[in-house]
């Protein structure tokens, strides 16, 4: 596993692109000799591992300097997607429960981004005062340093919203309206809000730093935002014939062995079928782009998909999809058959067939926007080592 690095966020795509450019450059540069584990030029040797480490450190350096955030703030319209439905949804959420914001960003950057997202020109035209973005939240925590936030955390300090500076000392008082805090931990959030465990639905876009850690360490209910889901659904719909062909090939492969047992000496020739499966799988992957599908490779699920299924209670392309559901809605995951259950066909009457046909129709036509999906959960409670999780 040391030869692999998991791409968890969109930031990793830039790292992968930069690393690929370096590999391409040194591979085609006549001054360097191509070796099995890297490149050599005189007494200088650069391994693939050291090149990747340099790229990782360079990306971390860019984040620490803050120049990436500065470039973002210079052109918010280009880099930040603004949705006028966000304030409406948060207002409705706050009417029925408590809403908190936990971000790794500092207050100055958070304030700039949120002010842009919640800026409403309609309010100015009507002559009404602009509602501050902090009023949409019961608790705001910046500099959380997730995933450390879900473990021991850091010192909780109060932020001076006028200057962006941190107040001296650890904050130990009660929750203050529209106040902003820095650091802390998930335990502190539970104490300040007076909630815990499954009473919290935590929304995030990082499968490891947000979803996995909050689920395992705190037992919070989780909602994973997967922006790529819209594209995945489009390809899944338009290229459904490829997946059906893959299923047909699997069935045909099984039929070749149907009348054989441990006493059979016959060995069916499956080489052509295996080549066809590889070809169809590759064709499916390329439909999603050079990086392939986020969720599957042929008929197999990716590591990301398996982690999503295990640790995310809900997932969707945007949390704004909640706008089209009542807050009393009960999300239920579709039944998933185990391998031994899928071998048995249960007979269905006319009513069962009608119900089976009606359910997917409601799922697609019940609301005009993409849906929120409930993911089947692994209830075994088995713990995994962090190194194998992401």
């Amino acid at each position: 596993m040391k030869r692999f690095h998991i791409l968890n966020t969109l930031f990793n795509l830039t790292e992968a692109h930069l690393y690929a450019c370096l590999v391409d450059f040194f591979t085609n540069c006549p001054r360097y000799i191509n070796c099995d584990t890297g490149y050599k030029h005189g007494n200088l040797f650069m391994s693939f591992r050291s090149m990747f480490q340099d790229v990782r450190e360079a990306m971390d350096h860019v984040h620490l300097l803050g120049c990436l955030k500065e470039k973002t703030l210079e052109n918010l319209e280009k880099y930040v997607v603004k949705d006028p439905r966000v304030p409406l949804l948060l207002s409705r959420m706050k009417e029925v429960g408590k809403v908190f914001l936990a971000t790794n960003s500092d207050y100055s950057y958070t304030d700039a981004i949120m002010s842009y997202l919640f800026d409403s020109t309609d309010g100015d035209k009507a002559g009404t005062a602009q509602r501050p973005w902090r009023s949409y939240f019961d608790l705001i925590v910046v500099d959380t340093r997730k995933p450390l936030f879900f473990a021991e955390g850091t010192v909780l300090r109060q932020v001076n919203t006028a200057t962006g500076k941190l107040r001296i000392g650890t904050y130990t008082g009660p929750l203050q309206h529209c106040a902003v805090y820095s650091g802390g931990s998930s335990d502190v959030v539970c104490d300040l809000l007076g909630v815990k465990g499954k009473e919290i639905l935590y929304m995030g876009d990082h499968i490891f730093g947000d979803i996995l850690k909050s689920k395992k360490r705190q037992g919070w209910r989780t909602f994973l935002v997967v922006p790529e889901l819209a594209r995945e659904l489009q390809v899944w719909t338009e290229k459904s014939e490829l997946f059906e062909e893959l299923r047909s090939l699997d069935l045909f492969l099984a039929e070749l062995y149907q009348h054989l047992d441990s006493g059979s000496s016959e060995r069916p020739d499956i080489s052509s079928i295996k080549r066809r499966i590889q070809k169809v799988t590759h064709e499916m992957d390329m439909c999603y782009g050079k990086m392939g599908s986020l969720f599957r490779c042929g008929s197999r699920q990716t590591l990301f998909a398996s982690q999503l299924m295990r640790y995310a209670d809900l997932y969707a392309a945007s949390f704004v999809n909640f706008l089209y559901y009542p807050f009393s809605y009960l999300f239920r995951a579709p039944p998933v058959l185990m391998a031994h259950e899928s071998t048995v066909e249960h007979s269905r009457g006319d009513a069962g067939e009608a119900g089976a046909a009606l359910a997917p129709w409601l799922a697609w036509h019940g609301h005009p926007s993409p849906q929120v999906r409930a993911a089947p959960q692994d209830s075994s409670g088995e713990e995994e080592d962090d190194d194998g999780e992401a």
Side-chain angles (χ1 to χ4, degrees):
M1 288 298 292
K2 292 182 178 180
R3 295 179 57 246
F4 293 88
H5 180 75
I6 307 301
L7 306 182
N8 280 312
T9 69
L10 292 176
F11 290 114
N12 295 131
L13 290 183
T14 57
E15 296 176 18
H17 176 72
L18 182 57
Y19 180 70
C21 289
L22 289 174
V23 171
D24 179 70
F25 171 78
F26 288 115
T27 299
N28 296 287
C29 184
R31 299 193 305 272
Y32 291 87
I33 301 175
N34 294 334
C35 303
D36 292 337
T37 58
Y39 306 97
K40 190 174 183 179
H41 175 60
N43 296 326
L44 174 67
F45 177 75
M46 292 183 300
S47 66
F48 295 123
R49 182 184 298 276
S50 65
M51 289 171 58
F52 175 75
Q53 290 172 345
D54 289 342
V55 172
R56 279 261 62 250
E57 292 176 1
M59 292 298 296
D60 289 340
H61 183 64
V62 169
H63 282 286
L64 290 174
L65 284 180
C67 55
L68 182 63
K69 293 180 179 179
E70 292 176 1
K71 290 295 183 181
T72 302
L73 295 179
E74 289 176 3
N75 197 344
L76 290 174
E77 293 184 357
K78 179 179 180 179
Y79 298 113
V80 181
V81 179
K82 187 175 183 179
D83 193 327
R85 298 173 295 175
V86 171
L88 175 61
L89 177 58
L90 289 179
S91 296
R92 292 180 178 179
M93 285 183 170
K94 202 168 183 295
E95 290 175 358
V96 298
K98 297 178 180 179
V99 183
F100 75 93
L101 172 68
T103 174
N104 284 356
S105 300
D106 58 71
Y107 175 72
S108 298
Y109 183 74
T110 302
D111 182 52
I113 294 294
M114 298 298 283
S115 297
Y116 171 74
L117 290 177
F118 286 80
D119 177 55
S120 174
T121 55
D122 295 337
D124 296 336
K125 291 179 180 179
T128 58
Q130 182 72 40
R131 180 179 174 182
W133 67 267
R134 296 196 304 272
S135 65
Y136 290 89
F137 300 93
D138 295 280
L139 173 64
I140 302 169
V141 187
V142 299
D143 303 314
T144 54
R145 295 181 62 186
K146 293 176 286 186
L148 182 64
F149 178 76
F150 295 107
E152 64 271 17
T154 57
V155 175
L156 181 70
R157 305 181 190 274
Q158 194 168 7
V159 178
N160 185 333
T161 56
T163 63
K165 303 297 183 181
L166 304 182
R167 300 187 187 275
I168 298 176
T170 302
Y171 183 79
T172 59
L175 179 62
Q176 298 183 18
H177 179 65
C178 283
V180 180
Y181 305 90
S182 171
S185 66
S186 52
D187 290 327
V188 172
V189 169
C190 293
D191 293 338
L192 289 175
L193 294 177
V195 293
K196 61 180 180 179
K198 293 183 178 180
E199 296 174 332
I200 296 178
L201 174 62
Y202 181 73
M203 305 179 189
D205 62 356
H206 196 298
I207 185 66
F208 180 71
D210 286 322
I211 304 304
L212 188 147
K213 287 300 182 181
S214 63
K215 171 66 71 174
K216 293 186 68 174
R217 296 292 177 86
Q218 292 291 346
W220 291 356
R221 295 193 184 277
T222 52
F223 177 98
L224 179 64
V225 178
V226 189
E228 298 88 350
L229 188 59
R231 170 63 178 165
E232 293 272 339
L233 278 173
Q234 179 185 357
V235 175
W236 181 256
T237 303
E238 295 176 352
K239 303 296 181 179
S240 59
E241 70 278 0
L242 290 175
F243 188 74
E244 290 301 323
E245 181 179 356
L246 202 59
R247 292 180 58 185
S248 299
L249 289 170
D250 287 335
L251 292 175
F252 183 70
L253 189 63
E255 289 176 356
L256 290 178
Y257 293 91
Q258 185 175 4
H259 302 292
L260 303 179
D261 57 21
S262 58
S264 303
S265 59
E266 179 184 353
R267 297 185 63 179
D269 183 8
I270 61 173
S271 57
S272 60
I273 300 178
K274 291 173 64 177
R275 287 194 299 268
R276 183 57 187 169
I277 290 177
Q278 292 175 350
K279 184 178 183 300
V280 175
T281 299
H282 178 72
E283 188 176 349
M284 284 182 62
D285 288 342
M286 290 301 99
C287 292
Y288 293 94
K290 292 184 177 180
M291 298 294 290
S293 171
L294 191 64
F295 296 100
R296 63 172 59 252
C297 177
S299 56
R300 296 175 180 268
Q301 290 183 345
T302 62
L303 172 64
F304 178 85
S306 63
Q307 289 185 327
L308 181 151
M309 297 288 283
R310 179 166 186 177
Y311 296 107
D313 294 298
L314 300 171
Y315 70 98
S318 171
F319 92 104
V320 178
N321 291 1
F322 272 122
L323 196 62
Y324 303 97
Y325 292 83
F327 293 123
S328 60
Y329 192 89
L330 176 62
F331 290 96
R332 294 277 297 171
V336 178
L337 297 180
M338 297 182 66
H340 69 281
E341 296 171 329
S342 62
T343 62
V344 180
E345 292 187 4
H346 290 179
S347 59
R348 297 179 180 178
D350 294 339
E353 294 176 356
L358 181 62
W361 189 91
L362 289 175
W364 282 104
H365 300 280
H367 295 291
S369 68
Q371 287 74 44
V372 175
R373 300 296 183 189
Q377 295 298 297
D378 183 355
S379 59
S380 64
E382 180 183 354
E383 295 291 324
E384 295 179 356
D385 294 333
D386 287 353
D387 293 340
E389 293 167 344

